[in-house]
Amino acid sequence: AQRVTQPEKLLSVFKGAPVELKCNYSYSGSPELFWYVQYSRQRLQLLLRHISRESIKGFTADLNKGETSFHLKKPFAQEEDSAMYYCALLIQGAQKLVFGQGTRLTINP
Amino acid sequence: EPEVTQTPSHQVTQMGQEVILRCVPISNHLYFYWYRQILGQKVEFLVSFYNNEISEKSEIFDDQFSVERPDGSNFTLKIRSTKLEDSAMYFCASNRDSNEQFFGPGTRLTVL
């Protein structure tokens, strides 16, 4: 089965604290994973993808095939990081994205 | 920077009516998609479209739904005989070949 699980619907941390948004996947093929972010009243936009291995806005995510995880991390949260975060799995061939349910991250001042 | 656009931003319709949701993908993109998100639920894939035909569709995408690229710029989703459970945000997306899909702002469909 092709599935993405984000166990936390809501996550609240204080500014300056570390953040980790969890994502686990189930996929028989070679996984290609993404994190999308949706700021208030804005569209879904790509935050990062595992194959590029880059850091965007201080966020990083490492694909762990053994644990089938792709957790999103940031060492020091900022207030502007408050948003909905979606983990997504690309199904090869079909070119469709399978999304997790999303995590609403709130950064408290 | 070019963006995917969608119209209208909000559509209200009566149950049983037909609606057409419109999208203008980024101009040099070749692959087009529709997704939907029922309130409180996941974003779900509906259909992908390439080279003027459907390349993949989900089990949600039944005979009630159709897609069309009527000209060189628009990509439409038609929902015939709408049902209450069709109420959702509908997102259009497009890409060229990088696997990154670019999303539109969405159309909120409310079926009364």
Side-chain angles (χ1 to χ4, degrees), chain A residues 29-45:
Chain A
S30 180
E32 186 165 351
L33 287 141
F34 302 80
W35 277 99
Y36 278 83
V37 60
Q38 188 174 31
Y39 300 104
S40 180
R41 292 187 170 79
Q42 295 187 28
R43 66 188 67 208
L44 278 164
Q45 52 188 281

Side-chain angles (χ1 to χ4, degrees), chain A residues 15-72:
Chain A
K15 178 181 169 183
V19 172
E20 182 178 47
L21 289 84
K22 291 184 167 50
C23 172
N24 288 89
Y25 67 90
S26 172
Y27 184 48
S28 56
S30 180
E32 186 165 351
L33 287 141
F34 302 80
W35 277 99
Y36 278 83
V37 60
Q38 188 174 31
Y39 300 104
S40 180
R41 292 187 170 79
Q42 295 187 28
R43 66 188 67 208
L44 278 164
Q45 52 188 281
L46 182 68
L47 181 61
L48 52 80
R49 52 194 300 191
H50 89 269
I51 62 171
S52 63
R53 299 188 62 82
E54 55 188 342
S55 171
I56 304 292
K57 300 185 179 184
F59 285 96
T60 58
D62 289 316
L63 177 62
N64 185 323
K65 291 186 179 180
E67 296 183 357
T68 60
S69 68
F70 187 57
H71 302 328
L72 183 68

Side-chain angles (χ1 to χ4, degrees), chain A residues 3-5 9 32 34 36 38 42-44 46 49 86 90 92-101, chain B residues 3-5 31 33 35 37 40-43 45 48 55-56 91 95 98-105:
Chain A
R3 187 166 54 244
V4 175
T5 303
K9 269 193 167 179
E32 186 165 351
F34 302 80
Y36 278 83
Q38 188 174 31
Q42 295 187 28
R43 66 188 67 208
L44 278 164
L46 182 68
R49 52 194 300 191
Y86 295 94
L90 180 70
Q92 303 288 354
Q95 290 295 305
K96 68 180 185 182
L97 290 171
V98 174
F99 284 86
Q101 68 176 18
Chain B
E3 291 183 326
V4 176
T5 60
Y31 299 85
Y33 310 84
Y35 292 81
Q37 185 177 30
Q41 298 186 24
K42 295 183 178 186
V43 177
F45 169 82
S48 58
S55 47
E56 183 81 16
F91 295 104
N95 63 355
S98 67
N99 290 335
E100 176 187 349
Q101 295 182 17
F102 294 81
F103 283 80

